[in-house]
Amino acid sequence: PVKMKEGALSKFTLSLYRNKMTSTILLKMLFNNGLQQHSLSKKELEAYRKPLIKGKTDALYYFFTQLSKLFPNYTTALKNLNIPIMVIWGKHDKILRRENQKDNVLKLLDVKKEDIHIIEGNHFVQEETPNKITTLINKNVTMA
């Protein structure tokens, strides 16, 4: 993430989320890129939008102005994991693009080829195909 500068422009940008039309457009864009076979119902969209409309953007402001460049480098911790690791990617994920990240992730996590699963879906593959995800996890747990 890119750190935003504190001030009026940052607060204005995040205030756009509080506008019902803007938050609806932004959320629909996110979920259109994230979901392949499921679109949000009005009720679901409202549940995601409600905190934004109520002005619950202070945490976003704090994150983007104070924390976004301060994340530690987890490379050493990830390389030293001593637990079974499985990677599940949505085949059509436009947010976490597999082709851009796979080499780094696989090298960092030292994942076995049989523990990499690319399944039909997008970014929210766990919501699109929960039964498939559950089956993969349960199969992996029983084999460990």
Side-chain angles (χ1 to χ4, degrees):
V2 176
K3 189 171 182 175
M4 295 174 79
K5 292 182 182 179
E6 289 184 68
L9 180 59
S10 295
K11 286 189 179 201
F12 170 75
T13 302
L14 290 174
S15 75
L16 292 175
Y17 284 98
R18 295 179 187 165
N19 174 292
K20 189 172 185 175
M21 187 173 86
T22 303
S23 66
T24 299
I25 292 168
L26 293 171
L27 288 171
K28 282 186 176 183
M29 285 172 50
L30 169 67
F31 284 102
N32 283 341
N33 284 324
L35 294 171
Q36 180 176 320
Q37 298 174 356
H38 176 75
S39 59
L40 292 179
S41 69
K42 286 182 181 182
K43 186 176 181 179
E44 291 168 324
L45 181 61
E46 187 59 30
Y48 282 102
R49 184 178 57 201
K50 194 172 190 176
L52 299 174
I53 297 298
K54 287 188 173 184
K56 306 291 184 191
T57 56
D58 290 344
L60 287 171
Y61 178 76
Y62 182 77
F63 174 82
F64 283 112
T65 61
Q66 302 298 317
L67 300 177
S68 62
K69 285 275 187 170
L70 305 176
F71 288 122
N73 185 334
Y74 292 108
T75 303
T76 302
L78 291 172
K79 280 186 175 183
N80 292 319
L81 283 177
N82 192 19
I83 57 173
I85 298 171
M86 177 180 7
V87 175
I88 303 172
W89 257 303
K91 186 176 182 178
H92 308 287
D93 190 337
K94 295 178 185 173
I95 297 169
L96 296 176
R97 297 177 183 259
R98 181 173 32 93
E99 288 303 316
N100 296 349
Q101 300 172 3
K102 73 176 180 184
D103 293 338
N104 222 11
V105 168
L106 301 179
K107 180 180 175 186
L108 182 66
L109 295 176
D110 192 28
V111 181
K112 298 175 190 156
K113 191 170 187 159
E114 62 269 16
D115 292 327
I116 301 167
H117 304 276
I118 301 165
I119 62 175
E120 282 299 321
N122 259 323
H123 184 65
F124 299 104
V125 70
Q126 71 281 3
E127 292 181 22
E128 292 179 312
T129 58
N131 293 336
K132 176 73 172 172
I133 300 293
T134 302
T135 300
L136 287 170
I137 292 171
N138 286 337
K139 183 179 177 186
N140 191 275
V141 168
T142 57
M143 295 177 92

